[in-house]
Amino acid sequence: MTMADVEAESSTQPEAMEEENPLFSNLDLFLFTLIAGLIIYWFMSRKKAEPIPEFKKLDQPAPSTRETSFIEKMKKTGRNIVVFYGSQTGTGEEFANRLSKDAQRYGMKGMAADPEEYDMSELSRLAEIGNSLAIFCMATYGEGDPTDNAQDFYDWLQETDGELDGVNYTVFALGNKTYEHYNAMGAYVDKRLEELGAKRVFDLGMGDDDGNLEEDFVTWREQFWPAMCEHFGVEASGEDSSIRQYELKEHNDINMNKVYTGELGRLKSFETQKPPFDAKNPFLAPVTVNRKLNKAGDRHLMLHFLDEMVYESGDHVAVYPTNDTAIVNRLGQILGVDLDSVISLNNLDEESNKKHPFPCPTTYRTALTHYLDIIHPPRTNVLYELAQYATDPKDQENMRKMASSAPEGKALYQSFVLEDNRNILAILEDLPSLRPPIDHLCELMPRLQARYYSIASSSKVHPNSIHICAVLVEYTTKTGRLTKGVATTWLKNKLVADNGHKSTVPMYIRKSQFRLPFKASNPVIMVGPGTGIAPFMGFIQERGWLKEQGKEVGETVLYCGCRHKKEDYLYQEELEEAEKMGVITKLNVAFSRDQEQKVYVQHLLRTNKEDLWRQIHTDNAHIYICGDARNMARDVQTAFYEIAEELGGMTRTQATDYIKKLMTKGRYSQDVWS
């Protein structure tokens, strides 16, 4: 009997008792004393309760014990080459992995490394390792900026005055010639390392994604390794055999709650949404609007997402698309595999920070749908690695030839893969003798990357939603195959309600420097044909909101364009209403194909040159360009040069310097793509 039982029992005693009877008999007192003594003895003598063990949630990673010293890791694992990468879309990382694997073919040992994960101030210690070399595959992002994962390294390079004597290095830069600051990050790293005393052992490589980045890399790489062998006194006798980085583990009896189904980082993260939301932890935003923007055809679409994140006008939204189910199923069929098999690909290098090429354990179906890029034409290293599985000697020979820098091989890759736009499925269909193991294929395919869109709304006006504007990509290749853009096709099919459930899109916000001027009274000149108008819809909404708040708002001038007024004039009603309300001071629209001679935004700029020069030179206007970098942005910049020459009395050199100074001051901003 417990004390609770005693209390409960005594509470049931009758309230009315005869006064002459004592409250307790001797027996009652004896029993009460005995029970109380036993209870006290039990409390005093019982063992201390065992502490309740803490169980980690299944979806929480164990505390990180990751090595942050790449020097110690290299010493521990006998490596002498480290390949750092600055990568935004995964290409820089892919090249770094290829160079790291190459080292093994030349009797050396390499490791690919993300500079964000290591203490880069230890670079000076690299000389402690004999015959050591640091390779940097550095991509340039935006207006000559470092990629997100290389930002800290860039800051360290700028601030440090450390000595890098004895450090051997080389750099391969990834960029695009259509941009103003072509390969700026790679060139800076190359120059700065030399200034700090490091020794350049091979020339800076320049990769141009506007041309053929793969060809640039292959050519540089094939010249680089013989030079390294000579430098280190190593015999250039690399084996041609394939080197696997991961081994397959099949899970026949596993709790499906532990299997990734599309999450990017934390298991079950799509079921339990926890901020902060970023590239590895996207927010599932419900789709609230999905409609066509153009009056004819279905090229353009607009989506609104419900969003819990803070954004500003000019920011980008990154969305994670999924591949077409039909293509995934066809891959499974042609390779004769059960796509729902649960597998893991485990890194053979146990010391590597990258344990798997994508979240594992998962299924082949999930990997091919959510994690792997199966739509873009494969790079030459994929063809080289897969060639061993071709049973036709001619197919083997051609696949290996395409991976070389020989002119014949380059031409074959250009025509068969790039010009004919063959993805991995098309290659498998057109080479019947090629049937690789699906796990090796999954190891080699690059990761499916997020797609970035300029936000077409203002958080001041739409604090709880994000708008985007996109063009549906769809075309027929030379081989007669219909090719659809991964992201836009997927977005188009995101119905507001699907079988009673809201459609969701995994996404996160990417901050931008594309910002309205701090002083609202400054004029703004916005140039954005096609979907380049997207960020300006946010700017216009914000300028209208500022006017409503009683702020002094400067001139707001828009130059936009489309092909035909009656077909693809995007946001026509909204723009005309904004001009009517005085939010847009002047609306200039170029309908390029509504007349015999094509008219583009740069033509309208020249037409309004006097107003433009006054706004820029006298009234401190801010200029914003958004859209195609290859043609439009260049032509628009040339138009501004000509206006400065004519109305500012400048030479072309002076006009160029004038516009560059506006860029430096943040008064000429570009948000462009190629």
Side-chain angles (χ1 to χ4, degrees), residues 38 53 68 96 100 128 148 182 231 274 286 309 325 362 366 408 432 497 503 518 574 590 598 616 620 636 659 674:
L38 287 170
T68 59
S100 175
E128 296 174 12
D148 291 347
Y182 172 54
H231 179 82
K274 297 176 183 176
M309 289 173 284
T325 303
T362 189
T366 297
E408 185 184 354
S503 292
F518 179 75
E574 292 94 326
K598 291 181 180 177
I616 297 166
N620 293 315
V636 165
I659 297 299
S674 60

Side-chain angles (χ1 to χ4, degrees), residues 19 61 115 146 180 192 198 201 209 240 324 327 350 406 445 665:
E19 289 183 11
E180 180 77 21
R192 184 63 179 142
V201 294
D209 201 30
D240 286 339
D324 189 337
I327 296 175
E350 294 181 356
M445 299 309 292
K665 293 177 181 177

Side-chain angles (χ1 to χ4, degrees), residues 424-470:
I424 190 63
L425 175 58
I427 287 172
L428 291 172
E429 288 177 337
D430 292 345
L431 299 179
S433 86
L434 179 63
R435 292 297 178 263
I438 191 170
D439 62 290
H440 199 178
L441 184 72
C442 288
E443 174 181 322
L444 293 170
M445 299 309 292
R447 285 290 295 269
L448 183 61
Q449 299 294 327
R451 269 46 172 190
Y452 297 93
Y453 295 94
S454 299
I455 296 177
S457 54
S458 165
S459 58
K460 300 287 194 300
V461 181
H462 300 282
N464 299 315
S465 69
I466 284 176
H467 304 180
I468 67 169
C469 168

